[in-house]
Amino acid sequence: MPVVTDPDSVPLTPVYTIVISAAGEATIEGEPVDPLPGQDARTSALADIRVRAARRGHPIRINAKEPDGSVWPLIVDHDGAVTPLGAPHPAPAVAEPVRRAEESVRAGESVRAESVRTGEPGRAEPVVRAEEPGYAAAAPQAPEPAFAPVPVPVPAPAPVAPPTAPPVRTPAPPAVPRKPPVDWREPVPVHHAPAFARIVAAELRGDLAAAAVAAKELEAAADREYGPLHPHTIGALATRAWLALLLQEDWASATRLHLRTAERRDTARAPLPETLRTLRNARAAWQRLAATDKAEAEDIRPELLRVSELIEGERPQ
């Protein structure tokens, strides 16, 4: 499926926000999206955006918020092409001519109001503006003195002793740079965007199994580059767990993937609300497993209890 080759050509507004909840529901700008027959909430929400793009005649920018809290800036076209971006959508800037025109209109309205009040023609006061960069303001000129000043003789300076050498000090060891705080909402880097695009494209065409394979490939690539506790790696793992729930084929795998995601989030000190939602999804998948395969559910029960106690127990301050 083709993608947008020139994201800068896409208008900066509007930017729609799609939110996918842990319960599998979707909203666009806070409005619930009714799932289409045979499609999940995410695919239905993207289909709605495709219709809006067709009506506008150009691709549309969106922010897709996943159940784990990660936000993906995307561009969606009417033909279903989804282009992931490696950075957030740029904010539109107010054009300078428009700003000046608005100031002129406001100044004119003020003059007209004064004319109506006094009955005399008004005069707009000049707008005081800062100097343009690159031009120094003229310095104030001092008035010419009425008489020429008489020079006053200056005594010769007293001899000064030569300065003593400063004490030799041992240089302080260089400061260890602080690690920047982890941003769990940072978008996927641009070199991983094609892998994420394969996940979205497979899900759009209803091939959840292919989407799960692409998510596993993205997780492996992120693990090699960042390690297992990095937000990008855990985000790809959470996507695999979510797709396993949607497939509804292997409840044991869905349970284990959610437990692994929840434990890694807890170890990495990820935001707690999303970690608790992941744990609740693990329990929901385990209950479906217990209804179909009690022996397998009993095998997983100790792991479920251990992770539950780890996350819901007393967390260190």
Side-chain angles (χ1 to χ4, degrees):
M1 184 176 294
V3 297
V4 176
T5 57
D6 185 13
D8 293 337
S9 66
V10 179
L12 299 182
T13 57
V15 180
Y16 292 104
T17 299
I18 297 177
V19 178
I20 309 297
S21 71
E25 300 172 346
T27 61
I28 299 178
E29 295 298 304
E31 295 293 329
V33 176
D34 294 329
L36 299 175
Q39 294 185 348
D40 59 88
R42 186 204 317 272
T43 307
S44 301
L46 290 173
D48 185 288
I49 296 295
R50 291 170 58 183
V51 174
R52 302 187 192 206
R55 290 175 179 172
R56 290 180 175 270
H58 61 72
I60 289 181
R61 298 176 180 269
I62 69 168
N63 285 317
K65 182 177 180 182
E66 298 294 319
D68 67 344
S70 58
V71 179
W72 302 85
L74 308 171
I75 294 177
V76 179
D77 207 347
H78 70 280
D79 59 356
V82 178
T83 305
L85 302 180
H89 298 289
V94 179
E96 181 67 15
V98 174
R99 183 180 66 81
R100 293 184 177 178
E102 291 175 349
E103 292 179 354
S104 300
V105 170
R106 287 196 295 270
E109 291 175 350
S110 175
V111 171
R112 288 196 297 273
E114 182 67 16
S115 301
V116 172
R117 187 179 67 82
T118 62
E120 299 179 356
R123 181 174 62 87
E125 293 294 332
V127 179
V128 179
R129 300 184 184 274
E131 293 292 333
E132 294 292 337
Y135 296 90
Q141 300 295 320
E144 292 292 334
F147 302 95
V150 178
V152 178
V154 180
V160 179
T164 58
V168 178
R169 295 181 179 179
T170 304
V176 178
R178 282 181 150 185
K179 291 184 178 180
V182 176
D183 185 2
W184 287 87
R185 300 180 183 276
E186 181 183 357
V188 65
V190 65
H191 59 283
H192 288 312
F196 178 72
R198 289 194 294 272
I199 299 173
V200 177
E203 193 171 355
L204 278 174
R205 64 177 183 265
D207 192 350
L208 297 180
V213 171
K216 188 173 183 179
E217 293 173 354
L218 177 59
E219 180 193 358
D223 194 351
R224 288 192 300 269
E225 184 170 353
Y226 309 110
L229 297 181
H230 191 277
H232 293 331
T233 309
I234 297 178
L237 175 61
T239 301
R240 288 183 58 201
W242 177 249
L243 291 169
L245 277 183
L246 296 180
L247 281 168
Q248 300 184 12
E249 294 177 351
D250 189 345
W251 293 113
S253 177
T255 304
R256 290 190 173 96
L257 285 171
H258 276 88
L259 289 176
R260 191 184 312 165
T261 303
E263 183 172 10
R264 286 194 188 178
R265 286 182 61 89
D266 183 79
T267 304
R269 311 305 297 167
L272 181 58
E274 297 295 338
T275 303
L276 292 174
R277 273 192 282 271
T278 303
L279 181 59
R280 288 196 294 268
N281 280 347
R283 290 172 179 162
W286 183 85
Q287 290 173 356
R288 297 294 297 270
L289 174 63
T292 57
D293 190 340
K294 292 183 178 181
E296 186 74 12
E298 287 302 315
D299 287 342
I300 298 178
R301 180 194 290 272
E303 185 70 4
L304 177 61
L305 295 176
R306 184 187 66 80
V307 176
S308 298
E309 183 178 358
L310 175 70
I311 294 174
E312 295 179 331
E314 183 178 356
R315 297 171 66 90
Q317 300 298 323

